[in-house]
Amino acid sequence: MSITKESELIGMKKISEVVGTTLKLMIEHAKIGMSTKELDDFGGEILKSFGAKSAPYETYGFPGYTCISVNKEAAHGIPSKNKILKEGDLINIDVSAELNGFWSDNGGSFVLGKDIYNHQPLVDASKHILKKAINTIKGGVKIADIGYLIESEAKKYGFKVIKNLAGHGVGKSLHEEPENILNYRVKSNKERFKKNTTVAIETFISTNSTKAIELNDGWTLVGNKGGYVTQHEQTILITDNSPIILTKSNRLWD
């Protein structure tokens, strides 16, 4: 979305604060012994309290207010009363929503309780790579160059990237142009980030896999070669200098 007037910026700031706050509160609320359905219902109530509507539910008829992926689920995990959170689980929560015609998107992976399976290095790598990528984005920067940065940084940490999941434009709908802000470089992609546009930048950092494949439930994604995947995502406004992180209320980097 291209921001052309103050009211649009205000609208994007409002919905971004809502999804950021919802993500932060859901991460804080997650407890051992809780079901992912319980956690999702908690998030759904927060969105409703702001007057916001769940984007995956509204747009795709997703069976939940938020996507909650646990352990070997890479993305789009369906909240379930049968999925009980345990010590050391690797959890990803992705929250996107609409308010007054504006849409925003953010997500984060974290370890629940003690890191008994050593997932924290993967979580930390994903967070640091996202921060570095975002700090490099400004008007005129090639989208492919950010993909190169993300993959190069992942390799430095000893990890891989998921190549068929991507960041995207966001604002007037959940997914807009540019549609493929990938985690690796496509040399043929000459597209550049544009000043005054809003985009959702996300990392998909993995231990083993390079592609996400869909399970029979029609939603849940897992890695093609197993292992684990972490995702972190912020919605930003691109400027001539450092971007404005619209979803900073999620406190991902605190």
Side-chain angles (χ1 to χ4, degrees):
M1 174 185 170
S2 185
I3 301 285
T4 57
K5 47 184 187 272
E6 185 69 17
S7 60
E8 291 171 336
L9 181 57
I10 290 167
M12 281 305 292
K13 280 182 171 175
K14 271 187 187 168
I15 182 55
S16 296
E17 187 173 358
V18 168
V19 296
T21 300
T22 303
L23 176 62
K24 174 183 171 284
L25 293 174
M26 285 181 74
I27 291 172
E28 289 171 355
H29 188 69
K31 299 284 183 294
I32 294 157
M34 177 184 286
S35 74
T36 57
K37 172 80 166 64
E38 216 177 316
L39 183 56
D40 182 60
D41 286 344
F42 174 79
E45 286 304 315
I46 297 167
L47 292 176
K48 281 179 196 168
S49 74
F50 285 110
K53 292 178 181 175
S54 158
Y57 180 82
E58 290 293 317
T59 309
Y60 303 113
F62 180 75
Y65 300 107
T66 65
C67 300
I68 304 176
S69 308
V70 181
N71 292 326
K72 297 204 172 178
E73 297 172 345
H76 302 168
I78 299 171
S80 166
K81 64 179 190 300
N82 299 319
K83 202 177 290 174
I84 306 300
L85 300 178
K86 298 183 288 297
E87 183 95 62
D89 276 350
L90 177 63
I91 303 168
N92 176 267
I93 303 175
D94 195 310
V95 182
S96 53
E98 177 272 334
L99 179 66
N100 300 326
F102 296 98
W103 304 68
S104 189
D105 195 355
N106 71 162
S109 296
F110 62 100
V111 177
L112 185 64
K114 293 177 190 157
D115 184 26
I116 53 180
Y117 304 112
N118 197 34
H119 292 313
Q120 197 61 47
L122 185 65
V123 170
D124 290 344
S126 178
K127 274 190 194 180
H128 292 151
I129 293 166
L130 180 65
K131 192 172 192 177
K132 188 164 186 176
I134 284 175
N135 287 338
T136 310
I137 294 171
K138 55 185 170 186
V141 169
K142 278 187 183 174
I143 289 174
D145 288 350
I146 296 303
Y148 178 72
L149 182 155
I150 292 170
E151 187 174 33
S152 301
E153 289 293 318
K155 282 179 181 171
K156 283 183 198 171
Y157 284 103
F159 299 125
K160 305 175 192 297
V161 298
I162 299 294
K163 294 191 168 186
N164 62 334
L165 295 175
H168 50 90
V170 66
K172 289 290 190 187
S173 61
L174 182 57
H175 288 99
E176 299 178 342
E177 294 289 335
E179 283 185 2
N180 285 314
I181 305 172
L182 294 159
N183 280 200
Y184 71 106
R185 177 164 61 183
V186 177
K187 286 184 181 175
S188 60
N189 182 10
K190 306 298 182 195
E191 198 173 0
R192 295 173 186 270
F193 288 104
K194 292 174 186 166
K195 182 186 171 184
N196 295 334
T197 60
T198 47
V199 294
I201 305 293
E202 46 192 323
T203 48
F204 294 97
I205 311 301
S206 69
T207 55
N208 298 46
S209 296
T210 54
K211 281 191 177 172
I213 53 174
E214 194 172 87
L215 296 183
N216 291 335
D217 63 21
W219 293 107
T220 309
L221 299 173
V222 297
N224 64 329
K225 293 180 180 173
Y228 298 90
V229 179
T230 48
Q231 179 257 20
H232 289 87
E233 176 182 21
Q234 301 273 26
T235 291
I236 66 171
L237 171 66
I238 297 166
T239 72
D240 277 334
N241 300 299
S242 296
I244 296 165
I245 299 166
L246 297 172
T247 45
K248 66 180 185 293
S249 59
N250 57 34
R251 312 292 287 273
L252 279 185
W253 292 317
D254 286 8

